[in-house]
Amino acid sequence: MAPNRKLLYKGDVNRIYDDEYKASQAAKKEKLFIRPSRQRKMKNAKWFGIGMGIDLPFCIILLVLLTIGTIMMFSASYAFAYYTQSDSYYFLIRQLIFVVVGIIAMGVMSFFNYNKLHKIAPLVLGIAYVCLLAVLVLPAGDGGVKRWIPLGMFNIQPSEIAKFAVILFFAHWASKYYDKMQLAKFSVLPGIIVFGSIAMLLFLEPHYSGIVIIGMLTVLMLYIGGMKTKYLLIGGVILGGLVLVLAVTGGLSYAMSRMDGWGQALEYTTEEMWQTTWQTRNSLYAIGSGGLWGLGLGQSRQKYLYLPEPQNDFIFAIVVEELGLIGAAIILLIFALLVWRGITLSLRSKDKFGKLLGIGLTSQIGIQVVLNILVITDWLPNTGISLPFFSYGGSSLIMLLAQMGIVLSISRTANIERQ
């Protein structure tokens, strides 16, 4: 308790004031010595740390994957680049440009208030529709497909924008109508309208792997958003019936052609089947050649014009050949850690929108990794699914890094105690 100065003599009062003054001056001196270190800690906390800055473990895992992916992309591509472009560094130089642009986009988005995306989710979905429509009026690319909007050395793939738009829109929708998501008109109906319209546009390209991924993302977002399980079962039956009708009527001729030779890469019986299964068969050769420890970094044999375009969808076959089963398992473990960390951060977000958005963006990585591995091992037909952070491509890499920046933005408000 403070002393009652009315009962003290004048000398005692002066002594008390003098002691308080000295104590205040000592406290100020202490602050002068301590404050710089505290300022440095607070400055670091704004960059890294849960609840105060972007999540450091997530950043490290992501940068490790990106570094390994870039190295392996160069290792897989330099022979093909020299043969087709007379420059072994052709794909590497461009990929490094995409990496720099993507990291800048990730940094910008990590400081962007992700809640502002809540308001513009319908607008982003509209932009995705415009891009999907625009690509249909442009000249067809290799193989007669229309999947890219050319912009000089950089091509935009509208399906990558559509993936993000679908995740964002359903995170917005489910968080806005969370209490009503068990009703079909608030879950099933929006899902059918959005996915159905996007699937139709992708069908015209055609881009069936994009339809599969966006369909899986739609189901995921609606389910975690509160949709009843029985609607998933009913939707699955309806979708299966639709696919069957299209297959019988010839509407899936392109997709059926991609299924020729599925599961028969090592059991070819005719010359035609030999050519059809060429890519998948050489993928299996590469995986088998790697063994337990691999042939060594840069020592792949299948990348020397045996495996077509090894820097793209089948890059992981080269990874297994050079790094072996052990190296491939470690990379898959790093992917699993990235997905786990991203979902953990998202679940600790303080708002429903952040939870749904973060889970959706992180789950896209896991979905594409699983599908890519199933394709290169002939468990799924060759449908052209890129491996995140490994496969060559600008729009995919930049979009993924920007989306990971949003996850980092969500981590700033994650309700987790700092370690």
Side-chain angles (χ1 to χ4, degrees):
M1 294 179 61
N4 188 345
R5 291 185 174 88
K6 293 182 180 180
L7 301 178
L8 298 174
Y9 293 104
K10 183 177 181 180
D12 294 330
V13 173
N14 290 338
R15 178 176 54 79
I16 291 172
Y17 281 138
D18 186 56
D19 291 342
E20 290 178 349
Y21 175 77
K22 290 180 180 179
S24 65
Q25 291 300 310
K28 288 181 180 180
K29 290 182 180 180
E30 183 181 359
K31 288 182 180 179
L32 290 175
F33 286 106
I34 296 176
R35 190 174 182 180
S37 63
R38 286 181 178 174
Q39 284 181 333
R40 286 193 295 270
K41 289 180 180 179
M42 291 302 296
K43 186 177 180 179
N44 292 335
K46 292 179 181 179
W47 279 92
F48 300 111
I50 305 168
M52 300 180 70
I54 60 179
D55 185 56
L56 181 58
F58 188 86
C59 266
I60 292 175
I61 297 170
L62 180 59
L63 293 177
V64 167
L65 270 178
L66 186 60
T67 301
I68 297 174
T70 304
I71 293 172
M72 292 310 306
M73 195 287 303
F74 174 59
S75 178
S77 69
Y78 67 79
F80 181 75
Y82 184 79
Y83 180 77
T84 58
Q85 306 294 334
S86 301
D87 181 6
S88 298
Y89 300 95
Y90 178 84
F91 295 109
L92 175 64
I93 292 174
R94 282 157 178 74
Q95 189 79 343
L96 288 175
I97 294 174
F98 301 148
V99 167
V100 171
V101 174
I103 290 178
I104 293 174
M106 182 177 70
V108 171
M109 295 307 297
S110 70
F111 284 96
F112 183 78
N113 183 359
Y114 67 89
N115 280 296
K116 293 182 179 179
L117 295 172
H118 210 332
K119 300 178 181 179
I120 64 172
L123 175 62
V124 175
L125 184 62
I127 293 173
Y129 279 119
V130 171
C131 292
L132 289 170
L133 288 169
V135 77
L136 295 177
V137 301
L138 295 174
D142 296 338
V145 298
K146 299 181 177 182
R147 298 181 183 175
W148 296 274
I149 300 176
L151 295 175
M153 66 167 288
F154 180 76
N155 296 330
I156 295 178
Q157 192 168 14
S159 60
E160 299 298 330
I161 301 175
K163 293 173 188 176
F164 171 67
V166 165
I167 295 171
L168 176 61
F169 176 78
F170 283 117
H172 157 77
W173 183 270
S175 60
K176 184 177 180 180
Y177 299 105
Y178 185 75
D179 295 334
K180 302 178 181 179
M181 286 296 290
Q182 292 188 347
L183 302 176
K185 67 177 182 179
F186 285 96
S187 57
V188 179
L189 185 59
I192 292 175
I193 293 174
V194 174
F195 170 67
S197 55
I198 290 178
M200 182 179 65
L201 294 174
L202 291 174
F203 179 81
L204 296 175
E205 293 187 7
H207 190 8
Y208 295 117
S209 61
I211 295 175
V212 171
I213 294 174
I214 290 176
M216 296 178 71
L217 290 173
T218 300
V219 171
L220 171 70
M221 295 305 296
L222 290 174
Y223 184 72
I224 64 177
M227 185 176 69
K228 289 183 178 180
T229 306
K230 69 176 183 179
Y231 294 141
L232 295 180
L233 300 177
I234 296 173
V237 173
I238 295 174
L239 182 61
L242 179 62
V243 171
L244 181 61
V245 171
L246 290 173
V248 172
T249 58
L252 295 177
S253 57
Y254 179 81
M256 298 303 292
S257 68
R258 301 305 295 265
M259 295 181 68
D260 289 343
W262 174 32
Q264 305 176 53
L266 300 178
E267 300 177 4
Y268 48 84
T269 56
T270 64
E271 180 66 24
E272 182 181 0
M273 187 61 66
W274 170 272
Q275 296 297 331
T276 300
T277 60
W278 177 270
Q279 189 173 31
T280 305
R281 183 171 61 260
N282 280 280
S283 171
L284 295 177
Y285 287 165
I287 294 171
S289 299
L292 189 62
W293 298 104
L295 302 179
L297 182 62
Q299 302 303 311
S300 165
R301 295 187 288 260
Q302 297 304 118
K303 67 185 177 185
Y304 289 99
L305 307 185
Y306 291 102
L307 184 62
E309 299 190 19
Q311 76 280 2
N312 288 330
D313 305 333
F314 281 75
I315 188 173
F316 200 70
I318 304 300
V319 172
V320 180
E321 185 181 12
E322 295 190 351
L323 304 183
L325 179 62
I326 300 299
I330 292 174
I331 291 174
L332 291 179
L333 177 61
I334 298 174
F335 270 116
L337 288 174
L338 181 73
V339 174
W340 169 80
R341 187 65 180 179
I343 291 177
T344 300
L345 292 170
S346 303
L347 288 173
R348 303 297 178 89
S349 176
K350 294 181 179 179
D351 59 88
K352 184 67 67 178
F353 175 69
K355 288 182 173 68
L356 296 174
L357 181 60
I359 293 173
L361 295 176
T362 310
S363 297
Q364 180 189 337
I365 304 294
I367 289 172
Q368 288 196 204
V369 170
V370 171
L371 293 179
N372 180 270
I373 301 303
L374 292 177
V375 168
I376 70 168
T377 54
D378 205 21
W379 283 89
L380 283 179
N382 184 358
T383 55
I385 298 174
S386 61
L387 183 66
F389 312 118
F390 278 70
S391 295
Y392 172 78
S395 55
S396 174
L397 181 59
I398 293 173
M399 282 299 300
L400 285 173
L401 287 174
Q403 290 173 195
M404 295 303 98
I406 296 175
V407 176
L408 289 173
S409 175
I410 294 172
S411 75
R412 290 181 176 277
T413 60
N415 188 22
I416 308 177
E417 293 297 328
R418 285 181 46 123
Q419 300 296 327

